Amino acid sequence: MEVGPDPAEVGRARRWARSRLVGSGIQGDEPLTETLILLISELVTNAVVHTGCPAVLRVLFGAGRVEAGTVRVEVADNCARPPEQRHAEGDDTHGRGLELVDGLADRWGWKAEGQGKSIWCEVDRGVPEAAYERGVARRLASVRP
């Protein structure tokens, strides 16, 4: 799906992704669906807000560890600047996107693609709760003195 450089496109990307997930047999009320929609929302928002460039959203089924039924999300843009993981403090309203991705995805990363880059994350279908619990544990560890 092509995404324009407009924050309003994030909602359209979420709706498109939800229909793709349901079309692949993942039920709309599964915890996995909500996890993937949040990840998609964060990656598309980062692309739109931080690059000002159009982006391409891809949702791939059966990627990675086939036995786990991995779902891979990729967002490619034409900005070569690498993603920067920030660490939000307290009431900060920005800087949590890649922190959420790191906490909720089983794996994530980025690679150069053409003149820009692609940021990707993977969630293993059998373990969305485990990914969520890992994310909570990481978040708690980062706020301990």
Side-chain angles (χ1 to χ4, degrees):
M1 170 189 183
E2 292 185 15
V3 180
D6 177 355
E9 290 282 273
V10 177
R12 189 172 72 86
R14 280 193 299 263
R15 289 187 298 278
W16 176 84
R18 190 173 295 278
S19 70
R20 291 268 299 139
L21 294 171
V22 170
S24 77
I26 299 172
Q27 299 304 310
D29 59 352
E30 284 186 49
L32 173 67
T33 301
E34 294 310 315
T35 298
L36 287 165
I37 295 299
L38 178 57
L39 291 167
I40 288 163
S41 184
E42 291 302 329
L43 293 180
V44 171
T45 297
N46 282 352
V48 168
V49 170
H50 295 296
T51 71
C53 299
V56 175
L57 167 62
R58 296 182 285 257
V59 179
L60 307 165
F61 302 95
R65 294 182 9 197
V66 175
E67 71 278 4
T70 300
V71 179
R72 182 179 177 107
V73 173
E74 298 177 355
V75 177
D77 60 55
N78 289 324
C79 178
R81 187 175 63 240
E84 180 182 334
Q85 186 172 357
R86 300 176 185 165
H87 299 286
E89 299 288 331
D91 293 334
D92 290 350
T93 57
H94 297 285
R96 289 185 171 82
L98 288 178
E99 221 172 316
L100 281 170
V101 171
D102 185 52
L104 293 174
D106 290 300
R107 292 162 296 284
W108 76 276
W110 72 279
K111 62 181 179 177
E113 185 171 299
Q115 294 181 343
K117 68 181 168 307
S118 174
I119 301 176
W120 59 269
C121 66
E122 294 179 342
V123 176
D124 297 332
R125 287 186 69 177
V127 293
E129 293 84 6
Y132 175 78
E133 289 169 8
R134 269 197 319 278
V136 169
R138 284 183 196 151
R139 180 72 179 133
L140 289 174
S142 72
V143 295
R144 289 189 181 139

